[in-house]
C-alpha cells in the first residue's frame, strides 16, 4: 500500500499578486526611468505571461510607452537538453528588435537552480551584446541554486525544501502559485 503525502498550499493570493506586480513595476520605473534603452525578454514558456502582464501594467497604469517585449526560447541552450529520452519541443523565439547596447531585463516565473537563466544568457548572444542584463522573477527559490545567479527583482522569496515544487498556474486575470 502506498500513501500519497503530497499537498498543495497556495502561497500567493490574487490580491498579493497585484501588489507584487505593482511593486515590481515601480522598481523597474525607479531603475530604468524612461525605458528608452530597455527591452524586456520573457523566457519561454513560463516567463512570457509575467512579461506580458508587466508590460501591460507599465503601459496602461504607469503610462510608460513602447516597451519592446521579446520572447526567448532556451530549449537547445540548456545544459540538460540531451538528458531526456523524449523528443524536445521548442517554443518560438520572437525578438524583432536589436539588443545591442540595450539594457535587457530577463523575465521568468520561478528562479530555481539558475540553469534556465544560464541558458538565456547564452541564447541572447545570438541577438547582439546587451550593455546590461537584469533578472526579474516572480518567485525566488533562494536555497536551490546550482549556479551563482541571483535576481535583481523578485516578487517573493520561497524556501522550498527537499522535493517540494513551486508551480505557477496562470489564468486570464489571476495566478495560482502553490508549493507542492
Amino acid at each position: 500500500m502506498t500513501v500519497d503525502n503530497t499537498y498543495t498550499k497556495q502561497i500567493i493570493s490574487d490580491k498579493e499578486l497585484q501588489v507584487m506586480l505593482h511593486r515590481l513595476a515601480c522598481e523597474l520605473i525607479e531603475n530604468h526611468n524612461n525605458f528608452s534603452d530597455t527591452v524586456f525578454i520573457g523566457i519561454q514558456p513560463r516567463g512570457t505571461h509575467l512579461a506580458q502582464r508587466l508590460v501591460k501594467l507599465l503601459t496602461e497604469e504607469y503610462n510608460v510607452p513602447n516597451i519592446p517585449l521579446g520572447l526567448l526560447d532556451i530549449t537547445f541552450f540548456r545544459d540538460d537538453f540531451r538528458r531526456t529520452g523524449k523528443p524536445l519541443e521548442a517554443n518560438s523565439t520572437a525578438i524583432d528588435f536589436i539588443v545591442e547596447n540595450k539594457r535587457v531585463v530577463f523575465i521568468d516565473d520561478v528562479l530555481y537552480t539558475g540553469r534556465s537563466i544560464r541558458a538565456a544568457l547564452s541564447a541572447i548572444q545570438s541577438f547582439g551584446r546587451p550593455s546590461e542584463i537584469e533578472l526579474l522573477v516572480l518567485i525566488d527559490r533562494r536555497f536551490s541554486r546550482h549556479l551563482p545567479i541571483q535576481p535583481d527583482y523578485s516578487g517573493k522569496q520561497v524556501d522550498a525544501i527537499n522535493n517540494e515544487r513551486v508551480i505557477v498556474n496562470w489564468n486570464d486575470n489571476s495566478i495560482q502559485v502553490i508549493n507542492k
Side-chain angles (χ1 to χ4, degrees):
M1 181 173 147
T2 61
V3 177
D4 185 9
N5 290 330
T6 63
Y7 69 95
T8 60
K9 173 184 163 189
Q10 184 168 345
I11 57 176
I12 298 176
S13 70
D14 290 342
K15 185 175 182 177
E16 290 171 317
L17 173 66
Q18 293 310 312
V19 171
M20 270 184 228
L21 291 175
H22 281 276
R23 180 177 46 79
L24 291 168
C26 288
E27 288 178 29
L28 287 164
I29 290 168
E30 182 179 324
N31 291 330
H32 290 266
N33 196 13
N34 64 10
F35 291 82
S36 61
D37 291 327
T38 301
V39 299
F40 285 3
I41 305 286
I43 298 176
Q44 289 275 35
R46 312 236 358 130
T48 59
H49 300 295
L50 178 57
Q52 290 164 345
R53 291 280 294 267
L54 281 170
V55 167
K56 182 177 180 181
L57 181 66
L58 285 164
T59 303
E60 293 177 1
E61 297 195 31
Y62 293 96
N63 299 317
V64 177
N66 307 319
I67 301 172
L69 171 61
L71 307 178
L72 181 64
D73 178 59
I74 59 167
T75 302
F76 298 112
F77 291 91
R78 292 185 58 91
D79 60 0
D80 60 354
F81 86 93
R82 292 178 197 233
R83 294 179 181 216
T84 179
K86 62 181 182 176
L88 294 176
E89 292 184 27
N91 295 290
S92 62
T93 291
I95 299 176
D96 60 353
F97 48 82
I98 303 296
V99 300
E100 189 76 28
N101 295 320
K102 297 289 186 182
R103 294 177 70 189
V104 171
V105 179
F106 281 145
I107 300 173
D108 207 358
D109 62 344
V110 178
L111 175 57
Y112 180 35
T113 63
R115 293 186 185 283
S116 294
I117 304 308
R118 194 226 36 94
L121 290 167
S122 296
I124 199 67
Q125 292 176 15
S126 301
F127 296 92
R129 183 177 180 192
S131 63
E132 181 180 337
I133 297 177
E134 295 179 328
L135 175 59
L136 181 148
V137 297
L138 185 63
I139 303 294
D140 175 13
R141 286 188 58 175
R142 61 187 173 160
F143 297 128
S144 308
R145 295 295 182 276
H146 295 175
L147 300 170
I149 293 174
Q150 301 301 320
D152 297 285
Y153 313 93
S154 66
K156 182 174 184 130
Q157 290 182 331
V158 173
D159 300 333
I161 57 172
N162 299 330
N163 293 328
E164 292 179 330
R165 295 177 43 200
V166 175
I167 301 168
V168 179
N169 295 319
W170 291 93
N171 66 30
D172 291 340
N173 298 314
S174 66
I175 181 177
Q176 181 185 24
V177 180
I178 57 175
N179 199 8
K180 185 172 183 175

